[in-house]
Amino acid sequence: MAQIKLLNKIASVGLNVFDKSKYEISTEFDDPQAIMVRSAAMHDMEFGKNLLAIARCGAGVNNIPVDECAKKGIVVFNTPGANANGVKELAIAALLLASRDVIGGVKWAGTLTEDVAKSVEKGKSQFAGCEIGGKTLGVIGLGAIGGLVANAAEALGMKVIGYDPYITVEGAWHLSRAVEKASSYDEIFEKSDYITLHVPATKETKNMINAGSISMMKEGVRIINLARADLVCASDLKEALADGHVASYVTDFPTEETINTPGIVTIPHLGASTGESEDNCAVMAAHELIDYIENGNIRNSVNFPAVSLPASDYHRTVILHMNVPNMISTVTTEFSSRGINIENMANRSKGDYACTIIDSAEEIDDASAEKILSVDGIIRLIKIK
């Protein structure tokens, strides 16, 4: 039986996806075949030789040593889109919190003790704000979440422009026709009354909101960041808040620099904290692990390419390797030399890494498997059946 180790509490609806006659689930395994995780830090963990895959029940994988896993042939999955609706709804709330000092008003109202109604009418003007209708929202990142936010904001009467240099065809199809395409980040910065960020934290996006980009923005711009804290240079943002160039900042990632700062609303990472999101992520992660362990298929991996073959009665071999010349010919030559006919094959690459799935009439023997593994650039070989 395959062992699935849990590093966090995972929604039972996801765990119930596993066939209990094939899988054991526990928090105690020392060397499992797979790990399911939400927020637990894994960078200092030692991985056993049996570990095939890690499934992150969520989109971000900052808590997982993705590169190290790739080098060891451990496929890391995430669940893009499973929590998108939950984050979209919080983004709409963030638009309103950026516009009107609801939180400050609620706190103030809680301090009133006498003649409350009269005091409210006298003091409410200090919390007045603006409406989002008719304003321009710039959406940076039009993936599963950004696309939903763009559509929802347009339905609420905002003019929406978006920019995503990596937008997929599927993502584009799901966008409202009213969402305008910007030509660059700079165009978003220059035209938007509100800016919302929906991109991963990478070398390219780290501190994308900084003194330089803020200087291109409209006076009184309002910024929303439900993606990652690293996207915004906190010191530059605070200076812009102090001089009024930025009217407000709402983030789902509080840090020491941003908490208790006038003009900043810090939400305690609640974007995907809904029962529905947790259920969706757990179910998707479970299906990803099952399809990989039982069929060798890779879907939604962050360190290996998406590649799959339909289930069949043939013997299946999965080979994870570097994306360099002659890998496929080396592997197929070994199959041929053993008189094993290859019935079907799929190969895909992603950056430095690749995966080849082979269906054959006979199972490759251990000696051939070892010979393939000895080739420079071959990372891992898995015999599915």
Side-chain angles (χ1 to χ4, degrees):
M1 294 178 70
Q3 296 180 338
I4 311 295
K5 182 171 184 175
L6 310 181
L7 297 188
N8 296 104
K9 182 179 179 181
I10 306 297
S12 58
V13 67
L15 302 182
N16 291 338
V17 171
F18 292 100
D19 183 340
K20 300 307 186 291
S21 68
K22 298 180 179 178
Y23 297 91
E24 296 179 284
I25 301 172
S26 174
T27 60
E28 303 300 324
F29 296 131
D30 292 327
D31 189 10
Q33 279 71 42
I35 290 174
M36 296 183 78
V37 61
R38 289 174 60 198
S39 58
M42 300 184 67
H43 286 276
D44 294 328
M45 287 184 62
E46 292 187 10
F47 301 131
K49 62 181 179 61
N50 289 322
L51 185 63
L52 300 174
I54 298 168
R56 160 78 165 95
C57 298
V61 291
N62 299 46
N63 57 319
I64 302 171
V66 174
D67 292 339
E68 178 188 345
C69 288
K71 294 174 184 176
K72 294 182 176 181
I74 300 169
V75 178
V76 179
F77 296 96
N78 68 346
T79 57
N83 60 9
N85 189 69
V87 180
K88 175 208 74 177
E89 292 185 359
L90 188 66
I92 299 304
L95 280 172
L96 302 176
L97 293 176
S99 302
R100 309 172 73 170
D101 189 9
V102 176
I103 292 177
V106 169
K107 289 180 179 178
W108 172 76
T111 66
L112 303 177
T113 56
E114 297 180 357
D115 202 3
V116 174
K118 184 176 181 180
S119 297
V120 165
E121 291 305 314
K122 183 178 180 181
K124 67 180 183 180
S125 61
Q126 64 186 302
F127 306 106
C130 62
E131 299 180 13
I132 64 173
K135 304 298 194 306
T136 297
L137 172 66
V139 182
I140 294 180
L142 294 167
I145 296 170
L148 288 178
V149 172
N151 292 345
E154 190 276 327
L156 289 171
M158 301 189 80
K159 176 182 178 181
V160 182
I161 60 174
Y163 180 68
D164 188 337
Y166 308 107
I167 189 170
T168 63
V169 173
E170 182 179 3
W173 272 110
H174 285 94
L175 275 180
S176 166
R177 294 173 66 181
V179 175
E180 296 182 13
K181 178 183 178 294
S183 60
S184 64
Y185 293 129
D186 290 356
E187 185 177 350
I188 296 286
F189 299 148
E190 293 167 0
K191 292 184 176 181
S192 302
D193 302 302
Y194 295 75
I195 295 173
T196 182
L197 308 176
H198 300 285
V199 293
T202 65
K203 293 178 181 178
E204 291 73 26
T205 61
K206 184 177 181 180
N207 290 333
M208 67 186 307
I209 304 301
N210 54 45
S213 57
I214 291 171
S215 69
M216 290 185 272
M217 299 177 192
K218 291 183 179 181
E219 191 81 11
V221 67
R222 301 167 193 269
I223 301 171
I224 296 160
N225 176 17
L226 306 186
R228 281 292 179 266
D230 288 351
L231 303 179
V232 176
C233 176
S235 59
D236 290 354
L237 176 79
K238 289 168 75 171
E239 286 186 19
L241 281 165
D243 65 24
H245 194 101
V246 174
S248 60
Y249 174 58
V250 182
T251 179
D252 202 25
F253 294 88
T255 65
E256 289 79 3
E257 290 183 281
T258 56
I259 58 172
N260 301 317
T261 300
I264 298 181
V265 176
T266 48
I267 303 170
H269 201 185
L270 300 181
S273 293
T274 67
E276 294 87 348
S277 287
E278 292 179 8
D279 287 353
N280 292 340
C281 289
V283 169
M284 183 182 286
H287 282 298
E288 290 167 348
L289 289 178
I290 291 169
D291 200 17
Y292 183 58
I293 292 171
E294 296 185 11
N295 302 310
N297 293 331
I298 299 177
R299 306 177 193 275
N300 299 322
S301 172
V302 298
N303 60 352
F304 280 95
V307 58
S308 63
L309 283 177
S312 71
D313 293 329
Y314 294 116
H315 294 278
R316 180 162 292 183
T317 305
V318 178
I319 302 167
L320 302 175
H321 55 88
M322 302 303 296
N323 182 23
V324 295
N326 300 321
M327 286 291 101
I328 297 175
S329 62
T330 298
V331 171
T332 56
T333 297
E334 182 60 28
F335 273 76
S336 177
S337 70
R338 297 287 180 172
I340 300 174
N341 190 48
I342 294 176
E343 304 291 343
N344 205 355
M345 183 173 70
N347 170 268
R348 294 290 185 276
S349 62
K350 181 178 184 177
D352 293 332
Y353 297 95
C355 176
T356 300
I357 302 176
I358 295 175
D359 280 349
S360 57
E362 299 174 45
E363 182 180 23
I364 189 170
D365 58 87
D366 290 343
S368 290
E370 288 299 322
K371 186 174 180 179
I372 292 172
L373 280 169
S374 69
V375 174
D376 188 33
I378 300 290
I379 302 170
R380 192 166 200 168
L381 184 149
I382 304 164
K383 293 193 279 189
I384 300 296
K385 59 184 178 181

